[in-house]
Amino acid sequence: GLGGADTGMDGALAALYNRGGEDGRGNGGGGGGGRRGAGLGASTPSVADWLSDIRGYFPSSVVQVMQTDAVERLGLRRMLMEPEMMEAVEPDVHLVGTLLSLSQVMPEAARESARAVVRRVVEDLERRLAQRTRSTVQGALDRSARTHRPRRVADIDWDRTIRRNLAHYLPEYRTVVPQTLVGYARRNRGVQRDVVLAVDQSGSMAESVVYAGVFGAVLASIRALKTSMVVFDTSVVDLTERLSDPVEVLFGTRLGGGTDINRALAYCEGVIGRPQDSVLVLVSDLHEGGVREEMVRRIAALTAAGVRVVVLLALSDEGAPSYSRENAAALAALGVPAFACTPDRFPDLMAAAVEGRSLQEWA
């Protein structure tokens, strides 16, 4: 009998390669001599679960072969080729992750149906998230610009002004005499912050990749930000030029493969030209396949140079996934907390980052 992960691997293989419940030896599997059911059927949730399973059990080269076989053997081609079927399913972030993971083996005609489904989900996410993200981040940019000569009473930041002048409290009058005013400066129409999104596109990060692509496009639409986006596994791809269309960003990713965070950070160092005015958002479960010590050293160097480094173990509604606790603890020791963030909280997180507030307190 099999146990642990071996049982899961056997089940994933059986779903694809057992025909009519028979295993490769022509008899029933499962150790008890009984016939074992096989196949994924037409259920989109079970397809998504199966794709997630094989990415966890097998190396990327094997996953690629199995996905190709699944398209041929289990009717996934038919599901992807028929617009009626694609229109019948309820598109969501999980389905988008499934389609993106299959995009490299998808027939060209099927890519158009898949692209339409992805666009429906992306447009829905933009409707829910874009306006709040723009207003929250732009407001934070405006507040981050301070002046000691506010032009109008409405521009005075009373909270900071009172704190700055507590030494000038007059007990007999029970009041503070403000000798120094703190206010909001006039809006700077130029670029105020550089934002770099570095997104882990290993198979376990599918939902985070979808949300990161949408938020990357929204941030790129804010004129006061210069937004760059790179995705990585063991190689690094710069998708900045595609940020005008989040669907193009998502189809520029390639879910699966290993993880080399150190290499991605090395690329980001070359992108960042103004460390004191830059925010680096690393979306990764921190399972490093590259040189771990170099990864930690690079993050330490970036923070020492003044870059605001944000590490998100997940950008999704699913909570924190399996992640490297050792690496998360090492980053926390540098003052860089690592935590999961839901999409509805991401605008507030970015506002805290661009204002220079403590991310540890925010987390």
Side-chain angles (χ1 to χ4, degrees), residues 133-146 184-188 190-195 219 222-226 277 279 350-355:
T133 301
R134 292 191 188 100
S135 61
T136 301
V137 174
Q138 186 62 65
L141 288 167
D142 293 342
R143 291 190 299 272
S144 66
R146 303 290 177 180
Y184 304 123
R186 299 183 69 180
R187 179 177 295 182
N188 186 341
V191 174
Q192 299 177 47
R193 295 288 187 279
D194 296 346
V195 175
L219 294 174
I222 301 175
R223 293 184 178 181
L225 297 179
K226 177 187 175 184
D277 295 316
V279 177
M350 289 303 301
V354 300
E355 281 189 84

Side-chain angles (χ1 to χ4, degrees), residues 18 85 152 245 354:
N18 283 15
M85 184 171 290
R152 302 173 302 168
D245 186 348
V354 300

